[in-house]
Amino acid sequence: MVSFSFDQAEGLRRLLGEPRQRVYTFLSALPSRQKNPLLFNLAASLARSCDNVMLFDATCSREGTGYYQGQHPGLTLAEAVWGGHAVGGALHRVPQGFDLACLAGSAAETDQEDFCVLAQAFESVIAHSEVVLIDAGPDQAEAFLPLTPENALVLLAGDSENAIKEAYMLIKQMAGRFGRMPFGVLVSGDEENRSRAIFRNMAQTAAQYLGVQLHFMGYVPKDDHMARAVSLGRSVVDAFPMALSSCALRRVAGAFSDSGHDEHGYRMAGA
């Protein structure tokens, strides 16, 4: 079962004054065309205030963030491991100021019998990152959540009827696998008040029927500026600082920063 408590290594890091690593695994109820620019720009926004940020694509799909707009031309982690290369060869520094890595281009590249080898390589790759964002599906989340005791699960939800239903089904699916556990929820929508209302309804339903506690991590409006910024090799906060998505991402990045979190690693945006 996934533990959200501090381990002994974490306690030692605190005694020595070393920065606390934060790992967030994202499950998405959004289509790739919305999810990818959102996560890419969130990583870029975090990189403005954190020394080492990594976006790790564990989807085993070329629809994941690792291949967004041709950003990852190098080795995947699986190719590095199975090909006898140094795992550092799977890291790619993007112009937006963070490291990008992919687990695999397809599920066929990951051998479940030898997953422990990939798991060790993953732990080595993220060792020096202050913040790690993992783009994952339910199966990959189940594999990666136990590897880092400080790992927090975040759901990317939309404001359409289908997206709301899919988000709830993902919560139900993960609760069925791991039992009662907290979730962060980041909402992408057309209007903030509606997004907050959707979250409140979802949180009430999840608490009542699943015994699951949800934490509101923020709201990011849907606009074209995020994708345009990535195509320019920049973050939306840098290229279009007055865009609605830029203002929202600055607030959201604070919810993923290294201070003010509860015991599960969550902090409300703007708190």
Side-chain angles (χ1 to χ4, degrees), residues 47-177:
R48 294 167 66 91
S49 59
C50 301
D51 291 335
N52 295 291
V53 176
M54 178 182 292
L55 177 57
F56 186 85
D57 180 359
T59 62
C60 299
S61 165
R62 294 183 182 270
E63 297 297 318
T65 48
Y67 294 90
Y68 179 54
Q69 294 195 355
Q71 292 288 330
H72 194 275
L75 294 170
T76 67
L77 187 61
E79 288 171 339
V81 170
W82 307 140
H85 304 284
V87 295
L91 288 176
H92 173 52
R93 175 57 66 114
V94 299
Q96 290 83 354
F98 61 89
D99 291 323
L100 181 66
C102 295
L103 175 62
S106 69
E109 295 179 31
T110 59
D111 186 340
Q112 291 300 316
E113 293 182 1
D114 293 325
F115 184 77
C116 61
V117 179
L118 285 179
Q120 291 172 355
F122 166 76
E123 292 172 332
S124 175
V125 161
I126 71 168
H128 300 292
S129 297
E130 184 179 345
V131 181
V132 182
L133 310 181
I134 303 175
D135 176 16
D139 290 338
Q140 292 81 29
E142 185 173 8
F144 282 95
L145 278 171
L147 299 180
T148 50
E150 292 301 309
N151 203 328
L153 192 59
V154 180
L155 180 69
L156 298 179
D159 62 353
S160 69
E161 183 176 347
N162 286 338
I164 295 168
K165 289 179 180 178
E166 184 172 351
Y168 183 76
M169 291 307 297
L170 281 171
I171 294 171
K172 185 176 181 180
Q173 182 179 357
M174 296 306 292
R177 295 187 183 191

Side-chain angles (χ1 to χ4, degrees), residues 155 157-158 164 167-169 171-172 180-187 194-217 268:
L155 180 69
I164 295 168
Y168 183 76
M169 291 307 297
I171 294 171
K172 185 176 181 180
R180 188 173 66 177
M181 60 187 297
F183 282 78
V185 179
L186 180 59
V187 182
R194 171 173 164 76
S195 295
R196 287 181 177 273
I198 287 170
F199 168 78
R200 287 194 296 269
N201 292 336
M202 190 182 301
Q204 182 178 4
T205 302
Q208 181 176 354
Y209 295 103
L210 301 176
V212 170
Q213 183 180 10
L214 303 185
H215 301 258
F216 186 68
M217 303 295 288
M268 290 181 63

Side-chain angles (χ1 to χ4, degrees), residues 36-55 71 93-100 131 133 226 229-230 233-239 246 249-250 253:
N36 290 346
L38 196 163
L39 285 181
F40 221 87
N41 279 283
L42 176 57
S45 296
L46 284 164
R48 294 167 66 91
S49 59
C50 301
D51 291 335
N52 295 291
V53 176
M54 178 182 292
L55 177 57
Q71 292 288 330
R93 175 57 66 114
V94 299
Q96 290 83 354
F98 61 89
D99 291 323
L100 181 66
V131 181
L133 310 181
M226 288 189 288
V230 175
R234 301 167 70 185
S235 69
V236 69
V237 173
D238 176 43
S246 294
L249 279 166
R250 281 191 288 267

Side-chain angles (χ1 to χ4, degrees), residues 5-64:
S5 60
F6 299 140
D7 59 9
Q8 290 181 344
E10 171 61 24
L12 181 59
R13 284 193 296 270
R14 289 196 166 195
L15 287 173
L16 296 176
E18 296 180 12
R20 174 185 175 188
Q21 185 184 63
R22 294 199 173 278
V23 183
Y24 298 93
T25 296
F26 289 83
L27 292 176
S28 180
L30 302 175
S32 295
R33 67 179 182 276
Q34 288 180 246
K35 176 204 70 175
N36 290 346
L38 196 163
L39 285 181
F40 221 87
N41 279 283
L42 176 57
S45 296
L46 284 164
R48 294 167 66 91
S49 59
C50 301
D51 291 335
N52 295 291
V53 176
M54 178 182 292
L55 177 57
F56 186 85
D57 180 359
T59 62
C60 299
S61 165
R62 294 183 182 270
E63 297 297 318

